Structures are given as C-alpha cells and as structure tokens.
Amino acid sequence: MVGEGHERESLVNEIRDENESKQSTLLHRSAVGSGVASPAPAGAVDDEILRTRLEGEVNVDENFGNQTRSTIYIFLLTLAIGGLQISWSTEFSNGTPFLLSLGMSKTLMSLVWIAGPLSGVLVQPVVGMLSDSCMSPFGRRRPFMVGGAVFTSLSLFLLSWSKDIIAGLLGWFTDSLVVATQLLAIIMVYVLDFSVGTVQASSRAFIVDNVPIHQQQVANAWAAVLTGVGNMIGFILGTMNLPKDFPFLGNTQFKCLAAIASLALVVSVGLACKYIKEKDPRFDLYLRSQRVKRRSIPHFFRETMHGISRLSPQVRLICDTEFFAWTGYFPMLFYTTTYVGEMYYQEVIHARDPSSPSLTSDEIDKLWEEATRYASWSLLFYSLTSLIANILLPLIIAPSYSNPDLTKPSPFRIKWLTLPRSWMLSHIVFAVAMLSTFFIHTGRQATIMIAVLGIPWAHALWAPFALIAEDIARIKQNASHPNFERFEHEAGIIMGVHNVFVSLPQVLSSLASSVIFKFLAKPRGEEDDNSIVWIFRLSGLGAIVAAYLSAKIKTPDQLTVEDMTFEGLESEEDSIDDADRGQDGTVQLQREV
C-alpha cells in the first residue's frame, strides 16, 4: 500500500507539472504576442481534487468493476461493428467480381486479397497497443474508431470510382487506362483493409473495456447479431439494381454500394462514440502507468511477440483454433460470389439455343452482372442463417458465468451445450459443407450449401471473442495472484495477438489459392474451372483440426479448479503434499512467479 501511495503521489505531481508546463507555455506565447512580460502560471490543478479523481478511477480499474449494462447501452456499444460489416459485405460480395472486371487474373486477384490478412498481422496489433497507450481526453479507443471510419469511407469511394478517376487523369488510352486502374484499385484495396482493421481492432477492445465479465458473452452476441444485420443489409442491397433505383449514387452497382456502406459506417461509429463515454486516460492511474511501455513501432511488434508468450493457456488454445478455422473462412468470404456466379453463368450459357448467335461483349458483361446479383442471393441466405443463429444461440447455450442481476434464467437453455462445445460443432458443420462440393453441380445446390455456412460463421463472429473477453476479465480480476502475474491482460494487446492468429492463416490460404489458380484456373467464362472448388475442399481439412482443438477449451468450472492449483501440480491436494513446511509446522507453498 505504501508503494501504491507513493506511485499515486508521483502521478499527481507529474500531472500537475504537465499542466503547469502547458499553462506556462500558453501564457508565454500570449505574452510574446502582446509584447508584455510573461506572468506567473495560474490556475494549476488542485492536488486534492486530482487525488480524489484518481482514487475513484483506480478502484474501478483494479477490480475491472464495470457495472451491469443495459440492453440499449450494449446495443450502442456494439453498433460500430454492425456498420463496419456493411463495408465488409460490400467488399466480399462485389470486390472479387469488380477486380476481375478490371482484367485481373485470378492469380493476381488472390494476391491482392492478402491485404486483409496483412491488416490483421501489421495494423490491428499496432492499433490495439496504440489504443492501450492512448492518452486522448476523447478516450483510448474512440479516436481510432473515428479515424478508421474516415479512411474506410474515402478508400471505398476511390476504389469504386477508380475507372472514372484514371480516365479523367489519363484520357481514354486503353492500355494506360487498364494498367493504371488496376494499380489504383490495388492501392485502395490495401488502404481499405488497413482502415477497416483499425475500426475493427479498436471496436473489439471498446467492447471488452466497457462491460463486466458476466456480460461479455451478451455483448459479443450483440456484436455478432449486428454483424449479421450488417451482412443482411449489404447483401440485400447487392441483389438490387441500385444504379436504376438510386442513380444519384453512381452508375454502377459497386459505386452505389460503396456510397451506402460509407454512410452506414460513419453514422454507426458516430452514434457509438457519442453515447458511449470512455474513462479519461489522463486521470486514470492504471492507464497512465501503461503509457510509457510502448513507444516505437518495432517495440509494438516485440510486444506482440512477447504477448504471444504471455497468453493464458485458455486464450492460446482459442488462438490456435482460430488459426486453423481461418484457413477455411478466408476462401468462403472472398470466393463465394465468384463460385456461385460462375455456376449460374455456365447454366445460362448451356441453356441457350446452340443456333443462337454468340453473345456480344456488352451482353456478356450484363450476364456477369446478373450472375453476381444471383450470387448475392446466396450470400443473403447465408447472412440470414447467420443472423438467426446469432439470435438463437445465446438463448440456448448455457452461459459461462451467471449474471447476479438476472432473477429468472432463460427456459431455453441446453445445459450440456456450452459455448466451446457449440463452437466445436460449428467447425464440423463447416468441414462437411466444404467437402459436400464433390456433389454440388448447380447454382441452387451451391446456394443451399452457402446458406448452411451461416451457422459456423455465426459462431466465428461470437464464440472466440466472447471466450477471449471472459478470460481477459478473469485474469484482470486475479492479476495479483501468482498464477496470473505472467499472463497478459491488456485487451488491446490480446486482441492484436488474436488478429495475428486470424490473419496469418489467411495469408497462407491466399498464397495457396494463388498456386491453385495458377494451375487450375481458366479464363473468365470458360467451362470446367474447378479451381475455387478445390480451394473449398482443402479448407474443410483446416476445419477438422479446428474442431479437434476447440474440444479442448475449458469450461469456467474447469478453469476454477485449475486456478486453485499451481503450475505443474495436478490438484490442490498435491500442492499441499509437495509444499515445504516451515519450522513452525505451517504449510508454505512454493509458487512460481
């Protein structure tokens, strides 16, 4: 306690000195501008008020003591995730067809989509740690949410209008137009994915920071539901002929979708930042103490690597599961539209009268737009399945931690269906769906298979985040215990590390996809192109490994028993038996710090 008092006293002095320095500088500048001598600093921070504020804040942080939040609070807290998903759905549903329409090969396109995984590896860990150390009076997470939203909107606009922008700059020279447009599109894809990663990383940490442990599942379930709603909105818009219905937004489907997605993101992030107030990190003892730990970008990555070594066993197991799961999720997200659209295109071509004249270039382009809209229907059904699952799963899955403010539990709970067990079953569903492509030959069959994938995707949006958030809260509550001292408990760092485990398999999957496309892909429109099908089948193998790993995730009861023991000992009785006894006969447990 003496050390804590000394640290608090030092912090009070530090803040007072900073405040006096700033005031002195401002007064000096004012005096220089007016030609008079600088007066003495006035209005310094009152020490007693500052101490009171610090003590009030530090008690909250040390106990991770967020109060139980209302439904409307959690809705607003997670709203930015839903708005962000509309941007994601725009990229998922129309990004691949748009890049192919620019003349890119599938091999080059698969390399372009490495932008998303690189965002997870390079951007999100940095954003997580920067936001952990942020001292803005606006809060730790909100500045990054707002900045990411602005750049996401800007990059969506430039990407969707890339043809027009290059045409206006270079004229209508065909060769220059195609190459320059592709280059601009590639740059904007990277800017888009990096800015989306910024919003995502800060929004996820935003959720962890602001709800208590017993509501982490609920909050992340709301995030998953709003993600499903965002998907639904994005994919419904994708099935519409937007240039006809909303010509003022643009003359192509992608331009209209980009405009609507940008507006939705700005509104959702704006509402979340306006109504959810963060603690002021300038006056929080714990948050200020973290400021000096991470200053340079290389240090951020060293901290990330160090964070991997400091993950709790539970979080590490969740991250390992995510690694193998995302080898399959990546192809599902980026190639679904092309997979279904190509099937639809071939069905239409085969149904044409052989004696009919060949399609013109404009007719082929219109047929591909129609195929893309048809594929958007499969994504709509997929998002509907995901949304329904996100609504039902929290009602039937047994909660990990009881809510002390909940007087009547849900009558729909299935006691044996824990969140880890449900997540494991979702991986099995995913693997079966991917391997079913051996028997799928029509667009309707493909649409049904894609709709089924909404079940594992619903879990992907909820389960790992809820489980990690629960473990972060558990470790924060026991941070002073010897068994927990070595475990990382900063949400920004852990979410950044989690994104590394999510992103690296996507890089590997994208590289593997480029190899498969190199040997199996055929020019756009040709028959018997099975390249995407084989990517799907291989992704099912990763889901099998993920199912095996997720079966090992522990329940809260198992974690409680584990927390009562010491590392390397099987039970509390063993720790007593192996303890060294002092001269007075009392048990002295040997603890590893």
Side-chain angles (χ1 to χ4, degrees):
M1 297 300 294
V2 176
E4 292 180 0
H6 177 71
E7 182 179 3
R8 185 179 291 107
E9 184 70 27
S10 299
L11 182 56
V12 170
N13 293 332
E14 178 188 346
I15 298 175
R16 184 182 61 248
D17 292 342
E18 287 180 0
N19 183 274
E20 290 176 349
S21 176
K22 290 177 181 177
Q23 292 187 26
S24 177
T25 300
L26 291 173
L27 290 168
H28 174 70
R29 289 175 180 172
S30 176
V32 170
S34 59
V36 298
S38 301
V45 175
D46 183 270
D47 290 358
E48 195 59 38
I49 294 176
L50 183 55
R51 277 196 193 88
T52 302
R53 187 168 185 179
L54 284 169
E55 291 171 357
E57 295 288 347
V58 75
N59 289 334
V60 172
D61 280 321
E62 286 177 348
N63 297 315
F64 202 59
N66 288 311
Q67 61 185 359
T68 299
R69 302 301 189 181
S70 65
T71 300
I72 187 64
Y73 181 97
I74 294 177
F75 170 78
L76 291 170
L77 177 69
T78 55
L79 186 60
I81 297 290
L84 181 65
Q85 195 60 31
I86 299 178
S87 299
W88 271 119
S89 64
T90 298
E91 186 176 3
F92 293 154
S93 62
N94 283 263
T96 296
F98 176 74
L99 294 181
L100 291 175
S101 72
L102 297 181
M104 286 190 190
S105 65
K106 286 184 177 179
T107 301
L108 176 59
M109 177 201 64
S110 65
L111 295 177
V112 171
W113 288 132
I114 292 180
L118 285 179
S119 168
V121 174
L122 301 178
V123 176
Q124 295 194 36
V126 172
V127 170
M129 286 181 280
L130 278 174
S131 63
D132 283 342
S133 303
C134 180
M135 289 291 120
S136 168
F138 192 53
R140 295 198 298 170
R141 317 299 181 185
R142 291 187 293 175
F144 295 90
M145 294 168 64
V146 172
V150 170
F151 278 95
T152 297
S153 301
L154 180 62
S155 58
L156 273 174
F157 172 79
L158 294 176
L159 177 62
S160 61
W161 286 82
S162 55
K163 284 185 179 180
D164 303 81
I165 293 172
I166 295 301
L169 293 176
L170 301 181
W172 292 97
F173 299 100
T174 305
D175 293 339
S176 299
L177 179 63
V178 171
V179 174
T181 301
Q182 290 181 355
L183 180 60
L184 177 60
I186 291 172
I187 294 173
M188 286 303 106
V189 166
Y190 275 79
V191 175
L192 172 61
D193 283 336
F194 282 23
S195 55
V196 164
T198 300
V199 180
Q200 186 173 35
S202 51
S203 297
R204 285 293 180 180
F206 193 51
I207 295 173
V208 175
D209 287 348
N210 290 288
V211 295
I213 185 172
H214 63 267
Q215 286 188 302
Q216 291 293 337
Q217 272 196 26
V218 175
N220 281 280
W222 265 102
V225 168
L226 290 175
T227 297
V229 172
N231 270 331
M232 287 277 296
I233 295 173
F235 296 145
I236 287 174
L237 293 171
T239 63
M240 299 169 58
N241 191 342
L242 294 177
K244 179 181 178 181
D245 298 331
F246 304 99
F248 59 90
L249 295 179
N251 58 354
T252 68
Q253 186 82 350
F254 193 37
K255 290 176 182 177
C256 296
L257 284 171
I260 296 172
S262 298
L263 178 62
L265 179 61
V266 170
V267 170
S268 61
V269 170
L271 288 174
C273 292
K274 177 176 175 59
Y275 290 105
I276 304 300
K277 305 300 182 184
E278 293 186 87
K279 301 180 183 72
D280 191 335
R282 299 173 302 170
F283 300 101
D284 188 285
L285 182 62
Y286 174 76
L287 298 182
R288 285 182 60 85
S289 69
Q290 302 302 304
R291 179 181 58 174
V292 299
K293 292 184 178 181
R294 294 171 286 274
R295 290 180 177 175
S296 65
I297 296 298
H299 190 54
F300 291 157
F301 289 105
R302 289 196 297 270
E303 281 288 303
T304 300
M305 295 301 103
H306 183 58
I308 293 175
S309 67
R310 287 176 52 83
L311 292 178
S312 69
Q314 180 87 334
V315 173
R316 180 56 191 264
L317 187 56
I318 295 168
C319 289
D320 289 342
T321 302
E322 285 279 79
F323 182 90
F324 287 96
W326 273 93
T327 60
Y329 293 155
F330 178 80
M332 174 191 72
L333 294 174
F334 285 97
Y335 303 140
T336 296
T337 306
T338 304
Y339 169 64
V340 179
E342 285 182 345
M343 282 195 171
Y344 177 84
Y345 179 88
Q346 292 300 333
E347 285 185 77
V348 172
I349 294 297
H350 290 158
R352 293 184 75 249
D353 188 343
S355 61
S356 301
S358 300
L359 295 175
T360 65
S361 177
D362 289 341
E363 289 174 333
I364 291 175
D365 288 340
K366 289 181 180 179
L367 180 56
W368 277 114
E369 287 186 7
E370 184 180 339
T372 301
R373 285 197 295 271
Y374 179 87
S376 293
W377 278 104
S378 68
L379 292 175
L380 176 59
F381 295 137
Y382 148 87
S383 62
L384 179 60
T385 304
S386 177
L387 178 59
I388 294 173
N390 284 138
I391 294 173
L392 294 180
L393 286 172
L395 299 178
I396 63 175
I397 291 177
S400 301
Y401 296 89
S402 61
N403 184 349
D405 300 311
L406 188 64
T407 57
K408 185 181 295 184
S410 171
F412 305 107
R413 303 284 189 209
I414 302 175
K415 291 184 178 180
W416 63 268
L417 188 61
T418 61
L419 184 55
R421 190 169 293 167
S422 183
W423 194 28
M424 176 199 68
L425 294 175
S426 76
H427 296 312
I428 296 175
V429 171
F430 185 89
V432 171
M434 291 290 99
L435 295 176
S436 71
T437 53
F438 281 105
F439 312 103
I440 293 176
H441 305 289
T442 67
R444 180 171 297 179
Q445 293 171 344
T447 298
I448 294 173
M449 186 272 285
I450 298 301
V452 171
L453 291 178
I455 297 174
W457 184 239
H459 286 80
L461 297 174
W462 174 41
F465 297 103
L467 291 170
I468 290 175
E470 288 174 354
D471 212 55
I472 292 174
R474 182 177 68 92
I475 294 171
K476 271 184 177 279
Q477 287 182 340
N478 298 275
S480 60
H481 192 284
N483 281 351
F484 291 84
E485 288 179 345
R486 63 188 183 277
F487 296 148
E488 182 61 63
H489 59 269
E490 276 299 317
I493 293 178
I494 293 177
M495 288 302 179
V497 171
H498 169 254
N499 278 306
V500 171
F501 280 83
V502 166
S503 302
L504 280 179
Q506 295 182 61
V507 174
L508 298 177
S509 181
S510 182
L511 292 175
S513 298
S514 67
V515 174
I516 293 174
F517 283 139
K518 180 68 175 179
F519 290 100
L520 297 182
K522 296 183 178 181
R524 191 184 190 196
E526 287 195 13
E527 296 184 40
D528 300 324
D529 186 345
N530 294 320
S531 53
I532 293 179
V533 174
W534 277 107
I535 292 172
F536 281 179
R537 292 165 184 170
L538 291 175
S539 68
L541 301 179
I544 294 174
V545 179
Y548 169 76
L549 292 173
S550 57
K552 297 183 175 184
I553 296 175
K554 294 179 174 62
T555 64
D557 290 340
Q558 291 172 322
L559 289 171
T560 299
V561 173
E562 187 178 86
D563 294 344
M564 294 173 62
T565 65
F566 297 100
E567 187 176 13
L569 301 178
E570 296 181 357
S571 66
E572 190 174 12
E573 289 75 17
D574 292 337
S575 65
I576 297 295
D577 292 339
D578 292 345
D580 290 336
R581 294 186 176 274
Q583 295 180 354
D584 59 354
T586 59
V587 176
Q588 297 177 343
L589 300 179
Q590 292 181 342
R591 301 182 178 183
E592 177 183 352
V593 178

